[in-house]
Amino acid sequence: KNQVEQSPQSLIILEGKNCTLQCNYTVSPFSNLRWYKQDTGRGPVSLTIMTFSENTKSNGRYTATLDADTKQSSLHITASQLSDSASYICVVSVGNSGYALNFGKGTSLLVTP
Amino acid sequence: GAVVSQHPSWVICKSGTSVKIECRSLDFQATTMFWYRQFPKQSLMLMATSNEGSKATYEQGVEKDKFLINHASLTLSTLTVTSAHPEDSSFYICSAEFGANYGYTFGSGTRLTVV
């Protein structure tokens, strides 16, 4: 069964601190992995997308890593800002079924002053 | 960049009425669009895949007669919630893929409240 597990479920950090969110998956065959940021009451916004051969990808203060061997990904947020408070969703695509996406339940991040 | 516009952003309707939600790809053509439903603090759940010029493909457990999907053009898909009930209250989101390297672009979502 294809599954995407994210941890922690929620996280509170002080403004300016760094944090790392985790995503473990059992999706097979793997196509790509995407991280999205979803503000409350809004649709998800793409942060990064990585294929099998990519180990790391950055988007400003967001850096995603991928270990296809262990089927793990992480999203590192540097120098957090209050606006980073949101839900971060890991989405893994199945390789041979076109549009099949497997969503994690997300990590709810709260950045406090 | 790729933009998916979703309208309305929120709607309140009475039980028994129907509500239409529009999803437009603004600067690209989308042969396929997707409709999701999201409950509070839950992940997105795929409801159906909307295919331009053909019937939508519904996920197991989703009533196709209740959630009518029309994808009449390459830039517009609509979801109509028919005979809405309070249990249909939820956050509905559409998406489309701009290109393999860009991931899926999501609309801003529609908060439906049925009273």
Side-chain angles (χ1 to χ4, degrees):
Chain A
K1 181 180 178 182
N2 292 327
Q3 288 187 314
V4 178
E5 301 287 341
Q6 289 187 244
S7 62
Q9 184 177 8
S10 62
L11 182 63
I12 302 175
I13 62 173
L14 291 174
E15 184 179 13
K17 297 296 185 181
N18 304 334
C19 67
T20 300
L21 315 180
Q22 300 290 342
C23 175
N24 296 339
Y25 61 93
T26 58
V27 174
S28 181
F30 174 87
S31 177
N32 58 61
L33 185 146
R34 315 158 196 239
W35 282 94
Y36 287 88
K37 177 187 178 186
Q38 185 178 22
D39 293 311
T40 301
R42 306 288 292 177
V45 174
S46 180
L47 296 177
T48 63
I49 177 172
M50 290 184 291
T51 60
F52 183 87
S53 60
E54 297 176 292
N55 300 121
T56 185
K57 183 163 285 188
S58 292
N59 179 359
R61 294 180 296 102
Y62 301 102
T63 299
T65 65
L66 174 65
D67 186 332
D69 291 330
T70 61
K71 299 187 177 181
Q72 297 180 327
S73 175
S74 66
L75 180 69
H76 187 74
I77 304 175
T78 304
S80 61
Q81 301 176 358
L82 298 179
S83 59
D84 292 332
S85 296
S87 179
Y88 291 83
I89 305 171
C90 174
V91 184
V92 183
S93 295
V94 179
N96 62 357
S97 59
Y99 300 106
L101 300 181
N102 294 273
F103 287 80
K105 291 186 177 182
T107 292
S108 179
L109 175 65
L110 176 62
V111 181
T112 63
Chain B
V3 177
V4 171
S5 175
Q6 189 172 340
H7 179 81
S9 57
W10 61 271
V11 58
I12 302 174
C13 71
K14 292 183 177 180
S15 290
T17 61
S18 296
V19 173
K20 179 183 286 187
I21 303 171
E22 292 188 348
C23 182
R24 294 180 184 274
S25 56
L26 294 188
D27 46 7
F28 67 102
Q29 294 182 330
T31 306
T32 304
M33 291 186 178
F34 308 89
W35 287 96
Y36 296 87
R37 184 173 181 176
Q38 186 177 32
F39 293 104
K41 300 188 183 300
Q42 297 293 315
S43 185
L44 281 72
M45 294 173 50
L46 180 65
M47 297 175 64
T49 302
S50 171
N51 305 298
E52 187 269 334
S54 64
K55 292 182 178 180
T57 304
Y58 290 83
E59 295 299 300
Q60 190 174 9
V62 178
E63 298 176 60
K64 62 180 181 181
D65 294 329
K66 180 166 188 61
F67 299 100
L68 299 179
I69 291 174
N70 183 275
H71 196 153
S73 76
L74 288 171
T75 59
L76 175 64
S77 175
T78 61
L79 169 68
T80 301
V81 182
T82 63
S83 186
H85 291 286
E87 56 265 31
D88 297 326
S89 299
S90 188
F91 192 56
Y92 294 87
I93 308 173
C94 67
S95 77
E97 187 171 36
F98 176 58
N101 294 326
Y102 294 88
Y104 287 79
T105 300
F106 288 84
S108 56
T110 298
R111 170 70 59 192
L112 170 64
T113 302
V114 184
V115 297

